[in-house]
Coordinates of all heavy atoms in Angstrom, one line a residue:
R34 N 66.5 175.0 155.5 CA 65.9 175.3 154.2 C 66.8 175.3 153.1 O 66.4 175.1 151.9 CB 65.2 176.6 154.3 CG 66.1 177.9 154.5 CD 65.3 179.1 154.6 NE 66.0 180.2 155.2 CZ 66.1 180.4 156.6 NH1 65.4 179.7 157.4 NH2 66.8 181.4 157.0
N35 N 68.2 175.3 153.3 CA 69.2 175.3 152.2 C 69.8 174.0 152.0 O 70.7 173.7 151.2 CB 70.3 176.3 152.4 CG 69.8 177.8 152.4 OD1 68.9 178.0 151.6 ND2 70.3 178.7 153.2
W36 N 69.3 173.0 152.7 CA 69.7 171.6 152.6 C 69.0 170.9 151.4 O 67.8 171.2 151.2 CB 69.5 170.9 153.9 CG 70.1 171.3 155.1 CD1 70.4 172.5 155.5 CD2 70.9 170.4 156.0 NE1 71.1 172.5 156.6 CE2 71.5 171.2 157.0 CE3 71.0 169.1 156.1 CZ2 72.2 170.7 158.0 CZ3 71.7 168.5 157.2 CH2 72.3 169.3 158.1
T37 N 69.7 170.1 150.8 CA 69.1 169.1 149.7 C 68.4 168.0 150.4 O 68.6 167.6 151.6 CB 70.1 168.6 148.7 OG1 71.0 167.7 149.5 CG2 71.0 169.7 148.1
A38 N 67.4 167.4 149.7 CA 66.8 166.2 150.3 C 67.8 165.1 150.7 O 67.6 164.5 151.7 CB 65.8 165.7 149.2
E39 N 68.8 164.9 149.8 CA 69.8 164.0 150.1 C 70.6 164.3 151.4 O 70.8 163.3 152.2 CB 70.9 163.9 148.9 CG 70.3 163.2 147.7 CD 71.4 163.3 146.5 OE1 72.2 164.1 146.6 OE2 71.0 162.6 145.5
E40 N 70.9 165.5 151.6 CA 71.6 165.8 152.9 C 70.8 165.6 154.0 O 71.2 165.1 155.1 CB 72.1 167.3 152.7 CG 73.2 167.6 151.8 CD 73.3 169.1 151.3 OE1 72.4 170.0 151.7 OE2 74.3 169.3 150.5
M41 N 69.5 166.0 153.9 CA 68.5 165.8 155.1 C 68.4 164.2 155.3 O 68.4 163.8 156.4 CB 67.2 166.4 154.8 CG 67.2 167.9 155.0 SD 65.5 168.6 155.2 CE 65.5 169.3 153.5
N42 N 68.3 163.5 154.2 CA 68.2 162.1 154.3 C 69.3 161.5 155.1 O 69.2 160.7 156.1 CB 68.1 161.4 153.0 CG 66.8 161.7 152.3 OD1 65.8 162.2 152.9 ND2 66.6 161.2 151.1
F43 N 70.5 161.8 154.8 CA 71.7 161.3 155.5 C 71.7 161.8 156.9 O 72.0 161.1 157.9 CB 73.0 161.8 154.8 CG 73.4 160.9 153.6 CD1 73.2 161.4 152.3 CD2 73.8 159.6 153.8 CE1 73.6 160.6 151.3 CE2 74.1 158.8 152.7 CZ 74.0 159.3 151.5
F44 N 71.5 163.1 157.1 CA 71.4 163.6 158.5 C 70.4 162.9 159.4 O 70.8 162.5 160.5 CB 71.0 165.1 158.5 CG 71.0 165.8 159.8 CD1 72.2 166.1 160.6 CD2 69.7 166.0 160.5 CE1 72.0 166.6 161.8 CE2 69.7 166.6 161.8 CZ 70.8 166.8 162.3
F45 N 69.2 162.8 159.0 CA 68.2 162.0 159.8 C 68.5 160.6 159.9 O 68.1 159.9 160.9 CB 66.9 162.4 159.3 CG 66.5 163.8 159.8 CD1 66.4 164.8 158.9 CD2 66.2 164.1 161.1 CE1 66.1 166.1 159.2 CE2 65.9 165.4 161.5 CZ 65.8 166.4 160.5
A46 N 69.1 160.0 159.0 CA 69.4 158.6 159.0 C 70.6 158.4 160.2 O 70.5 157.5 161.0 CB 70.1 158.1 157.7
I47 N 71.5 159.3 160.2 CA 72.5 159.3 161.2 C 71.9 159.6 162.6 O 72.1 158.9 163.5 CB 73.6 160.4 160.9 CG1 74.4 160.0 159.8 CG2 74.5 160.6 162.2 CD1 75.4 161.0 159.2
I48 N 71.0 160.6 162.7 CA 70.2 160.7 163.9 C 69.6 159.5 164.4 O 69.6 159.2 165.7 CB 69.2 162.0 163.8 CG1 70.0 163.3 163.5 CG2 68.3 162.0 165.0 CD1 70.9 163.8 164.7
A49 N 68.9 158.8 163.6 CA 68.3 157.5 163.8 C 69.2 156.5 164.5 O 68.9 155.9 165.5 CB 67.5 156.9 162.7
K50 N 70.4 156.4 163.9 CA 71.4 155.5 164.4 C 72.1 156.0 165.7 O 72.5 155.1 166.5 CB 72.4 155.2 163.4 CG 71.8 154.2 162.3 CD 71.2 153.0 162.8 CE 71.9 151.8 162.5 NZ 71.2 150.6 162.9
L51 N 72.1 157.2 166.0 CA 72.8 157.8 167.2 C 71.9 157.5 168.4 O 72.3 157.6 169.5 CB 73.1 159.2 167.0 CG 74.3 159.5 166.0 CD1 74.4 161.0 165.8 CD2 75.5 158.9 166.5
R52 N 70.6 157.4 168.2 CA 69.7 157.2 169.3 C 70.1 156.1 170.3 O 70.5 155.0 169.8 CB 68.2 157.1 168.9 CG 67.2 157.2 170.0 CD 65.8 157.1 169.7 NE 65.6 155.7 169.4 CZ 65.2 155.1 168.2 NH1 65.1 155.9 167.1 NH2 65.0 153.8 168.1
D53 N 70.1 156.5 171.6 CA 70.4 155.5 172.6 C 71.9 155.1 172.6 O 72.3 154.1 173.3 CB 69.6 154.2 172.5 CG 68.0 154.5 172.6 OD1 67.8 155.5 173.4 OD2 67.2 153.9 172.0
E54 N 72.8 155.8 172.0 CA 74.2 155.5 172.0 C 74.9 156.5 172.9 O 76.1 156.5 173.1 CB 74.8 155.7 170.5 CG 74.3 154.6 169.5 CD 74.8 153.3 170.0 OE1 75.8 153.1 170.6 OE2 74.1 152.4 169.5
G55 N 74.2 157.4 173.5 CA 74.8 158.3 174.5 C 75.8 159.2 173.7 O 75.4 159.7 172.6
T56 N 77.0 159.4 174.3 CA 78.0 160.2 173.5 C 79.1 159.3 172.9 O 80.2 159.8 172.6 CB 78.6 161.2 174.5 OG1 79.2 160.6 175.6 CG2 77.5 162.2 174.9
R57 N 78.8 158.1 172.7 CA 79.9 157.2 172.1 C 80.0 157.5 170.6 O 79.0 157.9 170.0 CB 79.4 155.8 172.3 CG 79.5 155.2 173.7 CD 79.1 153.7 173.8 NE 77.9 153.4 173.4 CZ 76.8 153.4 174.2 NH1 77.0 153.7 175.5 NH2 75.5 153.1 173.8
E58 N 81.1 157.3 170.2 CA 81.4 157.4 168.7 C 80.7 156.3 167.9 O 80.7 155.1 168.4 CB 83.0 157.3 168.4 CG 83.6 158.5 168.6 CD 85.1 158.4 168.3 OE1 85.5 157.6 167.5 OE2 85.9 159.3 168.7
V59 N 79.9 156.6 166.9 CA 79.2 155.6 166.0 C 79.9 155.6 164.7 O 80.2 156.7 164.1 CB 77.8 156.0 165.9 CG1 77.1 155.0 165.1 CG2 77.2 156.0 167.4
Y60 N 80.2 154.4 164.2 CA 80.8 154.3 162.9 C 79.9 153.8 161.8 O 79.0 153.1 162.1 CB 82.0 153.2 163.0 CG 83.1 153.7 164.0 CD1 82.9 153.4 165.4 CD2 84.2 154.3 163.5 CE1 84.0 153.8 166.2 CE2 85.2 154.7 164.4 CZ 85.1 154.4 165.7 OH 86.2 154.8 166.6
F61 N 80.1 154.4 160.7 CA 79.2 154.0 159.5 C 80.3 153.7 158.3 O 81.3 154.4 158.2 CB 78.4 155.2 159.1 CG 77.5 155.6 160.0 CD1 77.8 156.7 160.9 CD2 76.2 155.1 160.1 CE1 76.9 157.1 161.8 CE2 75.3 155.6 161.0 CZ 75.6 156.6 161.8
D62 N 80.0 152.7 157.6 CA 80.7 152.5 156.4 C 79.8 153.1 155.2 O 78.7 153.4 155.4 CB 81.2 151.1 156.1 CG 80.0 150.2 155.7 OD1 79.1 150.6 155.2 OD2 80.2 148.9 156.1
K63 N 80.4 153.3 154.1 CA 79.8 153.9 153.0 C 78.4 153.3 152.6 O 77.4 153.9 152.4 CB 80.7 153.8 151.8 CG 80.1 154.3 150.4 CD 81.3 154.1 149.4 CE 80.9 154.4 148.0 NZ 82.1 154.3 147.1
Y64 N 78.4 152.0 152.6 CA 77.1 151.3 152.2 C 76.1 151.2 153.2 O 74.9 151.3 152.9 CB 77.6 149.8 151.6 CG 78.6 149.9 150.5 CD1 79.9 149.6 150.8 CD2 78.2 150.3 149.3 CE1 80.9 149.9 149.8 CE2 79.1 150.4 148.3 CZ 80.5 150.2 148.5 OH 81.4 150.3 147.4
S65 N 76.5 151.1 154.5 CA 75.4 151.1 155.5 C 74.8 152.4 155.6 O 73.6 152.6 155.8 CB 76.0 150.8 156.9 OG 77.0 151.6 157.4
L66 N 75.6 153.5 155.5 CA 75.1 154.8 155.5 C 74.3 155.2 154.3 O 73.2 155.7 154.4 CB 76.2 155.9 155.6 CG 75.8 157.4 155.8 CD1 75.0 157.6 157.0 CD2 77.1 158.3 155.9
A67 N 74.6 154.7 153.1 CA 73.8 154.9 152.0 C 72.6 154.1 152.1 O 71.5 154.6 151.7 CB 74.6 154.5 150.7

Side-chain angles (χ1 to χ4, degrees):
R34 64 183 161 272
N35 295 326
W36 291 48
T37 67
E39 290 172 344
E40 293 161 353
M41 282 194 257
N42 289 352
F43 279 111
F44 177 77
F45 285 106
I47 290 166
I48 293 295
K50 287 309 247 185
L51 290 174
R52 191 180 74 243
D53 300 328
E54 293 294 331
T56 58
R57 288 187 294 274
E58 284 183 13
V59 176
Y60 296 87
F61 300 91
D62 68 31
K63 174 181 178 176
Y64 302 102
S65 66
L66 187 55

